[in-house]
Structure formats: structure tokens, C-alpha cells
Amino acid sequence: MALLNHKRVLRQYRNASLPVKISLPFILVFLSFWVTGATILGIIFSHKFEHKFHEQAREFSILVKREVEQELEILREKARLLSVKASIVQGTSTQNKLQLQQILIPLSAILNSDVLTIINQDKKPLLNIESSLFKTIEIDVQDINSLLITGSDIATIIDSKTSGPPVLLGTAPIKDENGIVGGILLGTALGDNFLTQLNQSIHYELIIFSDEGNVLASTLPDINASTIFSYQLNSHTATTINDKSFFAHPIILDGLFEQQFTLVLLESQQPLKQTIFAIWGIVLTVALLGASLTIILGHWIARRTAKPIQNITQVARQVVQKERFDLRT
């Protein structure tokens, strides 16, 4: 079948006019190079933009991790500053809960934290101030309190015993002239509010999920936890959430005792698809314009080239057929 088609094409080419015979091979060769070159350029520009697109998301992933680490350091520094305040040291050493309440309750709004706890030397709470969000979160701080009483100041992440988000903690021991008399603990939930603040700065969606794939906090509304994150935690992993396509960039956060938490930055595929579509639209437009110009110009040159040859052929026929040897061209 292919052989028959090939023969048919050759027959049509032989029967074609001289301008077509002259122009067609050159036009086909030029078009093959033109289309190949345009396709290569389209692929290069698409890959280059895609790489830049993913590179920007990776940079924001690093920025998000730094923001979390910075928040941890801020909590620890706040705890240190409060731990050396004379009135707090005195209230903790004397276990005067009323004095601690009078000092710290007015400060709690300024500290911008979800939980503030003061413990005594026996690791018993003297004061515990929680935000409304934190009332739904239950955390186990026994190990942290034990480290705190030994003099350790800690900035770490711990998970909640409920299905709530992880918690950022900063601690500092409280000391008087006799030694450690207690400790102070400041905490911020790594929840929806915290992620929303990050989202307003970087404009990427963020999700924290458990090892089982359950969503603990997110900037996306109404997500279905059972259909998310059935993939290996590698960059550029594609996933679909609420019928929207994203590339997932995992951010691993280290907690206490080698515990790890996974925060995922979601990079929408829609802007990438739109830009690549625009790139290929430009490439296709340029290719079509170039092809049209080549066909028109090639055919025009072929006609100009073939016209003298056709004139000579016509005169030669008249000389032979009519025996008019006086004709010149």
C-alpha cells in the first residue's frame, strides 16, 4: 500500500508544472528544517520555564522552613526574656500563682502565642494560659518539662495527642540564686492560622499531614484527606486536590527525639500549563507564518526561474513542429 502511494506521488510530481517541480523539493527541505528547529526551540523554552517554575517553588520551600525555624527561635528568646524577669522568678520560687497571673495574663496578648505555661521545680503547672484554638489540642510535655528542670532551653516541634496540628515550643528554665526553681514554656500551633500567614507571603498552598496521610492543618478549604498524599515524598510529585492539579514539594521539619513532621508546599500546575501553552502558541504561529512565507516566496522564485526555460522550450517546439528556423529567443 505504501509503495503504491509512493508511486502515485512520483507520477503526480512528474506530471506537475515546471515551477512546482523546481520549488517543491526546496520548500520541503526548508520546511523540514524550519519545523524541526521551531519544535526544538519550543521544547527548550518549555523545559527552561518549567525548571525556573520548580526552582522558584523550591526556594519558597526553603523560605517556609526558615520561617518555622525562626518562629521556634523567637519563642525560645521570649521564654528566656520572661525567665529572667525578677517578678516572674519570685512568683515561681514562692509558687505564688496570683502574682504570676497578674504579671503574665496582660502579657499573653503581646506574646502572640497559643499557650504559656509556668511549672515549678516538681514539674507541676503554676500557670497555664491557652488560646481558644489550643483548647482543642492536647500535647504531652512530660519529657520537655524534665529537660526544662535540668536547665535545658529548647526550641522544638511536638505532635498533639489528638488529631490536631503539631506545636512549636520554646522553653527556658527559671533560676534564682539557689538554682532552678521552675520553667516557662511558650507554644504556637502549627495550624491553619500559621499556615495562612505564610500563604499570604509566598502565595503557595500549604498542608501538614500525619504519617497516615490525615490532614492536620491546611490553607485549602474542604479537602478530602482520604484521597491526598498517596505518593512518595519527592519533589515534582503530581497530585490532585479538589479537582486541581499541584506539584508537591515536601518540607521535613525535625522535632524532639528524632521525630519528623511533613509540611508540603503545593505548587499549582495551572500557571505552568498556561505559560507552556502560550509558548507553544507563539512557536506554532511563527512556524506557520514562516512556512506560509516560504511556500509563497519559493513558488514565486520557481516561476521566475522557470519562465525563461518555458520560453526556450516553446520556441524549440515551434522550430521543430513548424520548421521555422528564423525564430530566436
Side-chain angles (χ1 to χ4, degrees), residues 51-70 190 194-195 198-199 201-208 231 233-237 246-254 261-268:
H51 175 76
K52 183 179 179 181
F53 192 75
H54 292 317
E55 189 64 30
Q56 185 180 24
R58 282 194 294 269
E59 291 175 358
F60 277 113
S61 298
I62 296 172
L63 178 63
V64 168
K65 187 170 184 177
R66 287 178 181 171
E67 287 290 332
V68 174
E69 292 172 349
Q70 184 178 1
L190 194 56
F194 189 90
L195 297 185
L198 291 176
N199 171 263
S201 300
I202 64 175
H203 305 294
Y204 284 91
E205 303 297 343
L206 297 165
I207 289 181
I208 300 176
Y231 59 81
L233 291 178
N234 298 317
S235 293
H236 302 175
T237 302
F246 296 93
F247 290 110
H249 297 271
I251 305 168
I252 305 301
L253 304 175
D254 297 320
F261 303 88
T262 304
L263 171 61
V264 177
L265 182 143
L266 297 175
E267 173 191 19
S268 176

Side-chain angles (χ1 to χ4, degrees), residues 220-249:
L220 290 169
D222 303 325
I223 57 177
N224 186 355
S226 62
T227 60
I228 300 175
F229 307 124
S230 57
Y231 59 81
Q232 298 296 321
L233 291 178
N234 298 317
S235 293
H236 302 175
T237 302
T239 185
T240 301
I241 303 173
N242 290 347
D243 299 324
K244 295 181 181 179
S245 299
F246 296 93
F247 290 110
H249 297 271

Side-chain angles (χ1 to χ4, degrees), residues 274-291:
Q274 290 175 348
T275 303
I276 291 178
F277 182 79
I279 289 173
W280 279 107
I282 294 172
V283 169
L284 182 61
T285 301
V286 172
L288 290 175
L289 288 175

Side-chain angles (χ1 to χ4, degrees), residues 148-163:
L148 188 55
I149 294 304
T150 61
S152 300
D153 55 346
I154 303 167
T156 190
I157 309 173
I158 64 171
D159 58 352
S160 62
K161 298 170 68 175
T162 59
S163 58

Side-chain angles (χ1 to χ4, degrees), residues 36-327:
T36 302
T39 303
I40 291 173
L41 284 176
I43 293 173
I44 290 173
F45 281 116
S46 296
H47 285 178
K48 186 175 181 179
F49 180 81
E50 185 175 357
H51 175 76
K52 183 179 179 181
F53 192 75
H54 292 317
E55 189 64 30
Q56 185 180 24
R58 282 194 294 269
E59 291 175 358
F60 277 113
S61 298
I62 296 172
L63 178 63
V64 168
K65 187 170 184 177
R66 287 178 181 171
E67 287 290 332
V68 174
E69 292 172 349
Q70 184 178 1
E71 180 65 21
L72 284 171
E73 286 302 316
I74 290 173
L75 288 171
R76 178 158 59 181
E77 287 301 317
K78 288 179 180 178
R80 285 174 177 173
L81 291 174
L82 292 175
S83 68
V84 296
K85 191 175 178 63
S87 55
I88 294 178
V89 173
Q90 182 184 8
T92 305
S93 62
T94 59
Q95 300 193 31
N96 189 333
K97 295 183 180 181
L98 181 59
Q99 181 181 356
L100 293 174
Q101 288 176 358
Q102 291 174 344
I103 299 168
L104 291 172
I105 288 179
L107 289 175
S108 60
I110 302 174
L111 293 172
N112 193 27
S113 60
D114 291 316
V115 61
L116 189 159
T117 302
I118 301 287
I119 61 172
N120 60 18
Q121 195 173 12
D122 298 326
K123 297 183 286 186
K124 303 293 184 180
L126 297 174
L127 176 69
N128 188 47
I129 303 172
E130 296 179 344
S131 66
S132 58
L133 170 66
F134 212 83
K135 294 184 184 301
T136 62
I137 302 173
E138 183 180 355
I139 58 176
D140 185 0
V141 293
Q142 292 182 358
D143 294 331
I144 292 177
N145 288 344
S146 298
L147 293 172
L148 188 55
I149 294 304
T150 61
S152 300
D153 55 346
I154 303 167
T156 190
I157 309 173
I158 64 171
D159 58 352
S160 62
K161 298 170 68 175
T162 59
S163 58
V167 179
L168 307 176
L169 290 179
T171 69
I174 299 175
K175 304 176 183 178
D176 64 6
E177 64 276 4
N178 297 320
I180 298 174
V181 295
I184 185 167
L185 182 149
L186 286 174
T188 299
L190 194 56
D192 295 347
N193 293 338
F194 189 90
L195 297 185
T196 300
Q197 292 176 6
L198 291 176
N199 171 263
Q200 292 172 352
S201 300
I202 64 175
H203 305 294
Y204 284 91
E205 303 297 343
L206 297 165
I207 289 181
I208 300 176
F209 67 99
S210 65
D211 295 337
E212 295 79 18
N214 297 322
V215 175
L216 302 178
S218 171
T219 58
L220 290 169
D222 303 325
I223 57 177
N224 186 355
S226 62
T227 60
I228 300 175
F229 307 124
S230 57
Y231 59 81
Q232 298 296 321
L233 291 178
N234 298 317
S235 293
H236 302 175
T237 302
T239 185
T240 301
I241 303 173
N242 290 347
D243 299 324
K244 295 181 181 179
S245 299
F246 296 93
F247 290 110
H249 297 271
I251 305 168
I252 305 301
L253 304 175
D254 297 320
L256 197 63
F257 304 125
E258 299 183 354
Q259 193 175 17
Q260 289 186 331
F261 303 88
T262 304
L263 171 61
V264 177
L265 182 143
L266 297 175
E267 173 191 19
S268 176
Q269 295 185 36
Q270 189 63 26
L272 177 61
K273 290 179 179 178
Q274 290 175 348
T275 303
I276 291 178
F277 182 79
I279 289 173
W280 279 107
I282 294 172
V283 169
L284 182 61
T285 301
V286 172
L288 290 175
L289 288 175
S292 302
L293 182 61
T294 300
I295 293 172
I296 295 172
L297 187 61
H299 190 63
W300 179 79
I301 293 173
R303 290 184 61 186
R304 293 293 299 270
T305 304
K307 187 174 182 179
I309 300 174
Q310 289 172 328
N311 291 338
I312 294 173
T313 303
Q314 185 178 4
V315 171
R317 286 175 180 172
Q318 290 180 3
V319 170
V320 173
Q321 293 174 0
K322 300 181 181 180
E323 297 182 355
R324 292 188 58 185
F325 298 102
D326 60 325
L327 294 177

